[in-house]
Amino acid sequence: MNIITKLALAAGLATALSSGALAQDISGKVIGFSQIGSESGWRAAETSVTRQQAEERGVDLKFADAQQKQENQIKAIRGFIAQGVDAILVAPVVATGWEDVLSEAKEAEIPVVLLDRGIDAPEDLYLTSVASDQVLEGRVAGQWLVDEVAGEECNVVELQGTVGSSPAINRKQGFEEAIADASNITIAQSQTGDFTRSKGKEVMEAFLKSSNGGADICAVYAHNDDMAVGAIQAIKDAGLAPGEDILVVSIDAVPDIFTAIAAGEANATVELTPNMAGPAFDALAAYWADGTMPEKFIITESKLYTAADDPQGEYERRKDLGY
Amino acid sequence: MTRRILSRLANPQLLALVGVLLINWLLFPNFFRITWQDGRLFGSLIDVLNRGAPVAILAIGMVGVIATKGVDLSVGAVMAMAGAVAATLVVAGYPAPVAVAAALAVGLACGLWNGFLVAVLDIQPIVATLVLMVAGRGIAQLITEGFIVTFTDPVLIFIGTGSFLGFPMAAVIALALLVLVTLLVRKTALGLFIEAVGVNRAAASLAGIRSRMLLLYVYGLSGVCAAIAGIIVAGDIRGADANNAGLWLELDAILAVVIGGTSLLGGRFSVPLAVLGALIIQAMNTGILVSGFPPEFNLIVKAALIFLVLIIQSPLASRIMPTRMPVRETSK
């Protein structure tokens, strides 16, 4: 029986004795959240969804924006420890350099949950980590295409993310795994669009020129929705109908792609959910209720959205989240 | 006369552009094919003009600044600000001309701010413009509140994606600016004054040139050019992306000016050759995209080609092959 389990039992017992409330109830808890910053729309959405989730559960959320600096995150975590919060959520900006501050949290018996990125530190320094599986995202997108073309010949052009970034590597790998057994689907061209709309558009323009005006392209797979939005404009400029002449599948599920899906210009997107806090709160609730140790790596769902999934409604649900 | 035209045609920039285009053609045989589609020209060459236009416009502003021995690092951030201002205004319901005018005014104000720091406070240009390079993107993000502000305004979209006589609007705007600025600096004494300040500001002042005013002008022009490029880039994707619009383009603009043969030490400069430099850079970018190389090679290929272009222009190469930018005729 290691120290964590003992602590867990003790904490669980204490919670059960003191509150005697519902097992899943974590209302009244004070939880600190050290966010990286707001460098992307998704990040902003994650912040607002975390706040929503905390409010729904009656959690008193202490929010700290690190503005992309690890030193700010370490300061924020030390601050949370000093305030004696019940738990700490961290979206780590980098993978290394967390041992000291997480050991301090452990000594103070405050469970730490990592959100959306892993770290290089002993696993006993944090309770669990909640993240998406980027390879799975690519695989879901690839599987959609395999099902959609149903055996017909299909040349795919791929708009990669920033060269060397982990989402680009993993989403490429997942997609390739999914289409590996479908000999009818081949990736004809692949270039980086740096995750941006304008580069996505520029690269797609070039692909259209080098593929017989687009006649040889059956589908475009973009590593994020923004590049897909750019590619859709390029396809329209070339006199083709995106979504029909050229299928469009991408990843992230930001609001603008739902507008495109509703208009029939994009076909499918795989969600990178901004709700990392929900599973984290659930894990904490179970941990406090009866000492259940969550799995070390909680994987969020990679849900596929198509025109059949009420794209207009999804747009309305997301547009105010800060994307 | 014929010899003069010939020597102008044989300048290294034009040779480099032709060389890059030929390499593209070898890698992708349809590179030169241009078709007529939906009332506009369509083909890789047109893409080079269209995609190269923002950097060309930045270079038109940048070349004057560099000729005064300065540099403007803030143009990428000013692009983001101008795009953000134009997009937020049309989304808020203002008519497009007001939005465009406001964006240009923001560009001018940024340029004059840089000019003020350099000319009046005598701060080194690289430091002075670094301030706005960092702060400007932050301001743009504040204006857009971190969103990509998308719009459907037809005028702004036309500026970014429309066409005039079949040519992309962005390229037409760049050409108009090129003609305008070239006439301004070559048909008046302005160009000579700029070069004089670049060679020796103190001597130029003693000779009666109002160098402070002149620096304000060139930085102001650079700001306005950046704003124009920012509006084009926003119109192109129908949205202002404060995080990415114009990111690192200041470096491409400086490179275009340098490829155009203007020295970073100031002095002699050429606006058309800077634009040619921008086209060389874009021809490389488009070539890499249509060539089918894996993206991991993009930067290596680009670096190798730029290295080649710079070698062709080096003083050593010009001694072996005398095709340097011709010095303007003097009474000899």
Side-chain angles (χ1 to χ4, degrees):
Chain A
M1 204 188 219
N2 64 24
I3 181 105
I4 284 272
T5 333
K6 278 189 202 151
L7 284 176
L9 280 179
L13 202 62
T15 318
L17 286 176
S18 62
S19 68
L22 285 168
Q24 299 291 312
D25 191 8
I26 58 168
S27 68
K29 293 281 187 191
V30 182
I31 297 181
F33 176 28
S34 170
Q35 175 64 291
I36 293 178
S38 52
E39 76 281 5
S40 66
W42 183 85
R43 188 66 62 191
E46 185 190 42
T47 302
S48 36
V49 170
T50 304
R51 286 205 160 113
Q52 273 178 10
Q53 290 283 337
E55 200 171 320
E56 275 173 26
R57 289 159 210 251
V59 167
D60 180 7
L61 191 77
K62 306 264 182 219
F63 180 76
D65 183 334
Q67 299 180 331
Q68 322 292 330
K69 290 205 180 81
Q70 184 179 29
E71 62 208 64
N72 291 345
Q73 288 203 294
I74 291 176
K75 260 186 236 160
I77 295 171
R78 293 222 165 101
F80 292 145
I81 296 172
Q83 292 167 32
V85 296
D86 296 305
I88 297 172
L89 309 184
V90 188
V93 62
V94 291
T96 52
W98 296 102
E99 284 87 347
D100 288 350
V101 72
L102 292 190
S103 301
E104 288 166 32
K106 193 178 169 185
E107 272 163 33
E109 298 177 15
I110 299 171
V112 173
V113 180
L114 307 178
L115 298 188
D116 64 72
R117 294 187 188 184
I119 58 172
D120 296 334
E123 286 186 5
D124 64 330
L125 289 181
Y126 51 91
L127 181 69
T128 178
S129 76
V130 183
S132 71
D133 182 346
Q134 294 167 338
V135 178
L136 178 66
E137 289 159 6
R139 220 179 286 142
V140 171
Q143 191 56 47
W144 172 82
L145 187 68
V146 171
D147 298 340
E148 178 73 16
V149 297
E152 282 185 40
E153 286 296 315
C154 187
N155 282 331
V156 184
V157 294
E158 182 182 34
L159 299 174
Q160 295 185 28
T162 307
V163 175
S165 68
S166 65
I169 294 168
N170 294 331
R171 287 171 177 181
K172 181 174 172 59
Q173 183 197 338
F175 187 83
E176 283 169 356
E177 283 172 16
I179 62 166
D181 293 333
S183 57
N184 56 318
I185 301 178
T186 44
I187 296 178
Q189 277 174 298
S190 183
Q191 251 297 346
T192 175
D194 281 336
F195 287 128
T196 67
R197 286 187 193 205
S198 55
K199 280 288 280 177
K201 185 174 182 185
E202 179 179 349
V203 173
M204 193 64 203
E205 281 176 359
F207 283 169
L208 289 162
K209 306 287 176 334
S210 57
S211 310
N212 197 9
D216 297 344
I217 301 176
C218 128
V220 48
Y221 164 50
H223 288 185
N224 78 346
D225 288 338
D226 277 329
M227 290 191 292
V229 170
I232 288 168
Q233 290 173 8
I235 296 169
K236 280 202 258 182
D237 287 348
L240 296 170
E244 286 177 30
D245 298 331
I246 297 179
L247 302 173
V248 179
V249 55
S250 53
I251 298 176
D252 274 358
V254 304
D256 284 350
I257 200 73
F258 285 107
T259 318
I261 293 178
E265 293 173 346
N267 302 85
T269 184
V270 181
E271 182 177 46
L272 166 60
T273 178
N275 184 10
M276 301 275 169
F281 289 148
D282 289 344
L284 282 170
Y287 173 67
W288 280 324
D290 49 16
T292 316
M293 283 304 284
E295 285 183 45
K296 214 70 210 181
F297 301 98
I298 299 174
I299 305 293
T300 55
E301 191 190 4
S302 297
K303 190 173 184 307
L304 180 80
Y305 288 90
T306 62
D309 297 301
D310 182 24
Q312 198 57 47
E314 290 298 334
Y315 171 76
E316 298 295 335
R317 267 189 285 288
R318 276 153 222 268
K319 68 175 184 187
D320 293 328
L321 289 181
Y323 275 109
Chain B
M1 187 67 194
T2 337
R3 265 184 62 194
R4 246 184 81 192
I5 291 171
L6 268 180
S7 77
R8 268 189 188 262
L9 280 178
N11 73 50
Q13 287 77 19
L14 208 56
L15 288 179
L17 180 61
V18 171
V20 171
L21 291 176
L22 280 178
I23 294 172
N24 289 348
W25 174 69
L26 288 175
L27 291 170
F28 174 56
N30 282 336
F31 190 81
F32 290 113
R33 199 176 76 175
I34 291 175
T35 52
W36 184 262
Q37 185 166 333
D38 300 336
R40 63 169 75 198
L41 294 165
F42 185 84
S44 294
L45 269 185
I46 304 299
D47 281 358
V48 172
L49 292 179
N50 190 20
R51 295 285 151 216
V55 172
I57 292 171
L58 291 183
I60 291 171
M62 184 74 79
V63 69
V65 173
I66 289 182
T68 63
K69 210 190 265 186
V71 70
D72 186 352
L73 294 182
S74 71
V75 288
V78 173
M79 280 175 72
M81 281 164 75
V85 167
T88 22
L89 285 181
V90 291
V91 167
Y94 289 92
V98 174
V100 171
L104 293 179
V106 166
L108 180 63
C110 290
L112 291 178
W113 162 256
N114 285 332
F116 171 76
L117 293 184
V118 173
V120 181
L121 300 188
D122 263 334
I123 300 175
Q124 286 183 356
I126 197 164
V127 179
T129 56
L130 190 66
V131 175
L132 200 56
M133 174 186 176
V134 177
R137 198 161 289 282
I139 295 169
Q141 284 161 345
L142 281 180
I143 296 171
T144 62
E145 294 170 347
F147 299 89
I148 296 180
V149 180
T150 51
F151 50 82
T152 51
D153 183 86
V155 180
L156 279 193
I157 292 175
F158 182 78
I159 293 174
T161 64
S163 60
F164 180 74
L165 299 176
F167 284 93
M169 202 57 206
V172 174
I173 293 173
L175 181 69
L177 261 178
L178 168 65
V179 173
L180 199 73
V181 175
T182 309
L183 289 180
L184 196 68
V185 295
R186 289 304 172 216
K187 292 296 161 193
T188 70
L190 195 60
L192 213 57
F193 291 168
I194 291 174
E195 290 176 353
V197 169
V199 172
N200 189 332
R201 187 174 154 191
S205 296
L206 286 175
I209 295 174
R210 295 167 67 194
S211 57
R212 271 194 190 152
M213 254 349 238
L214 199 86
L215 286 172
L216 279 177
Y217 284 146
V218 293
Y219 281 92
L221 176 67
S222 180
V224 171
C225 284
I228 296 172
I231 297 167
I232 289 174
V233 165
D236 181 40
I237 59 164
R238 294 151 203 230
D241 184 349
N243 287 335
N244 297 307
L247 194 63
W248 309 125
L249 283 196
E250 57 277 342
L251 299 181
D252 274 7
I254 294 169
L255 182 65
V257 171
V258 171
I259 290 179
T262 302
S263 163
L264 288 178
L265 296 174
R268 203 176 52 170
F269 71 102
S270 163
V271 182
L273 290 184
V275 170
L276 215 51
L279 289 181
I280 293 172
I281 296 173
Q282 187 55 43
M284 284 182 220
N285 288 340
T286 306
I288 290 168
L289 293 181
V290 294
S291 68
F293 282 138
E296 288 79 6
F297 290 103
N298 288 7
L299 297 178
I300 298 172
V301 172
K302 198 172 161 184
L305 283 170
I306 287 168
F307 187 57
L308 258 177
V309 172
L310 292 181
I311 284 181
I312 296 176
Q313 287 183 24
S314 66
L316 182 70
S318 71
R319 276 208 293 280
I320 300 167
M321 186 181 69
T323 54
R324 289 275 294 174
M325 185 161 77
V327 183
R328 270 189 312 285
E329 311 282 307
T330 46
S331 52
K332 195 166 46 168

